[in-house]
Amino acid sequence: MNLPDRIASTVRADIRELAAYPVANADGCIKLDAMECPYELPEAVRDDIARTLRDTPLNRYPAADLSALQQAVKSAFGVPDGADVLFGNGSDELIHIIVQACCNPGDTVMSPWPSFVYFDMAARFDHARFVGVPLTADLTLDLPAMLAAIRAHQPKVVFLAVPNNPTGGLWADEDVQAIIAAAPGLVVLDEAYQPFAERSWMPQVLDASNVVVMRTVSKIGLAGLRFGYLAGHPSWIAELNKVRPPYNLDVLTQATLLTVLRHKSVLDEQAARLRADRAPLAAALAALPGARVFPSSGNFVLARFSGKLDGNAVHLALKTRKILIRNFSNAHPLLANCLRISVGAPAENAALLAALQEILSA
């Protein structure tokens, strides 16, 4: 049997039809495509990390006792005393863990749609059925459609990104409460962008019997660590922990995070700078010819370009100028001609706006 036939007979057909998650080459570019923090950690913090890592042994597996890190994370991020936490290699791994623990093959995973693409991908990879409930034409939550879909499909897991990615919307508290009350299974509130929204469900994570809150440190200056955490009732965490791969959090990540959390005020200050810069960036984008900007509570802005140049053309023109943003023009009909732009450092935002002025006025 030749190689193509061997692969075709071995690899799942649905996997062969997929494309790998795209990551653009960013060498020499202004990188505004991945919602990373544009600011490096201060030198004093990096020196502290270096001292810690120098003394971290690499010849042993990570320790089984994570209580020190658990307490540090709970304290730093406001996890209620009665809740427990589960750690993952980024929130992507936590999404897999949730689906694997909760779903038999064919069970339903649900989310408003479009939202974080990995909700769909993890469901597919783990043999669940994904149901995306379309947002409104204005990219807001369609609560009646969500409640109808919950009644029809009885999802084991509902993922709610609050704020939503890639649209930036922050769903109303009463709408989220209605979904929690209607859902027969687990509701995962994905707060990856919570530091930029200044609202959180974390204080209420124990108020309902079917809620967990998921977060990542990727957006607040630590994308390179690949660390996510899930907070919820200890009974939920105990079940989900059974699926967690052993040693999924390496010793360098643990040591770095413990060190950085001693300097958490630095992360908070960086998030505040990005929050302050978001509104001026959104206003400047909205003033461009043919641009519509959607409200955002994240560290990014979603803009639709429908003038003489569409989203694809604007994206390509920026790319030729070595400015990377994320093109969603062909991702979903509701996102036609939409580009997602991370809030960068002031000089990066200025370079982006100058390039767009030039592109759209040519």
Side-chain angles (χ1 to χ4, degrees):
M1 185 182 296
N2 62 34
L3 179 60
D5 290 342
R6 181 85 63 183
I7 291 172
S9 66
T10 305
V11 178
R12 286 164 39 188
D14 60 328
I15 298 299
R16 285 187 277 114
E17 292 171 0
L18 294 175
Y21 191 89
V23 178
N25 181 8
D27 291 345
C29 296
I30 294 175
K31 197 171 187 302
L32 301 174
D33 62 339
M35 292 92 71
E36 299 146 317
C37 177
Y39 303 113
E40 292 189 1
L41 293 172
E43 185 175 356
V45 179
R46 287 183 276 131
D47 287 345
D48 199 3
I49 293 170
R51 286 189 292 270
T52 299
L53 296 187
R54 181 192 58 201
D55 297 328
T56 300
L58 299 179
N59 60 314
R60 302 292 185 187
Y61 286 114
D65 182 8
L66 297 180
S67 56
L69 183 60
Q70 289 167 342
Q71 188 53 49
V73 168
K74 291 179 70 172
S75 176
F77 298 112
V79 178
D81 288 339
D84 206 350
V85 289
L86 179 68
F87 299 149
N89 184 358
S91 57
D92 298 346
E93 183 178 53
L94 292 172
I95 294 168
H96 274 296
I97 287 172
I98 291 164
V99 176
Q100 289 168 355
C102 296
C103 294
N104 290 309
D107 282 344
T108 297
V109 172
M110 183 176 292
S111 175
W113 208 248
S115 189
F116 183 34
V117 66
Y118 215 74
F119 300 154
D120 181 4
M121 294 174 68
R124 292 170 186 255
F125 296 161
D126 299 325
H127 302 283
R129 183 172 67 100
F130 182 78
V131 174
V133 181
L135 301 175
T136 69
D138 289 332
L139 303 183
T140 59
L141 182 71
D142 190 336
L143 181 62
M146 277 294 298
L147 297 179
I150 289 171
R151 289 192 297 270
H153 298 283
Q154 295 294 293
K156 284 287 192 74
V157 180
V158 176
F159 286 104
L160 290 178
V162 281
N164 191 45
N165 166 35
T167 63
L170 185 63
W171 315 139
D173 288 353
E174 56 268 28
D175 290 352
V176 175
Q177 289 282 17
I179 292 169
I180 292 170
L186 182 63
V187 178
V188 182
L189 301 177
D190 179 2
E191 291 194 341
Y193 301 93
Q194 181 277 328
F196 312 101
E198 298 186 279
R199 282 169 53 192
S200 174
W201 287 87
M202 188 66 82
Q204 303 161 255
V205 70
L206 298 176
D207 289 356
S209 64
N210 62 332
V211 171
V212 292
V213 171
M214 181 172 66
R215 289 183 181 169
T216 176
V217 298
S218 295
K219 316 307 176 187
I220 56 173
L222 302 172
L225 277 191
R226 308 307 304 133
F227 176 82
Y229 62 101
L230 191 75
H233 192 282
S235 296
W236 276 115
I237 299 303
E239 295 301 321
L240 297 173
N241 189 48
K242 297 173 183 178
V243 185
R244 178 184 56 83
Y247 310 122
N248 67 322
L249 203 63
D250 66 76
V251 293
L252 298 180
T253 296
Q254 292 182 43
T256 301
L257 189 62
L258 274 170
T259 304
V260 172
L261 290 183
R262 295 198 294 264
H263 306 273
K264 184 172 179 289
S265 61
V266 170
L267 306 181
D268 295 337
E269 290 163 6
Q270 291 178 165
R273 291 169 70 182
L274 294 173
R275 286 196 305 270
D277 287 342
R278 180 181 59 207
L281 174 63
L285 289 169
L288 295 170
R292 177 187 178 184
V293 173
F294 294 89
S296 175
S297 294
N299 62 338
F300 60 89
V301 176
L302 187 75
R304 171 171 287 135
F305 291 86
S306 55
K308 63 180 182 179
L309 294 180
D310 64 10
N312 284 317
V314 173
H315 174 257
L316 180 59
L318 287 172
K319 188 175 181 180
T320 61
R321 290 164 171 80
K322 291 189 170 295
I323 299 176
L324 301 182
I325 61 173
R326 188 67 184 272
N327 186 6
F328 282 89
S329 297
N330 303 314
H332 189 280
L334 287 170
L335 298 177
N337 294 313
C338 283
L339 306 177
R340 189 191 64 198
I341 302 167
S342 303
V343 181
E348 294 173 327
N349 297 335
L352 167 79
L353 293 169
L356 286 172
Q357 289 279 7
E358 178 184 313
I359 291 164
L360 295 173
S361 62

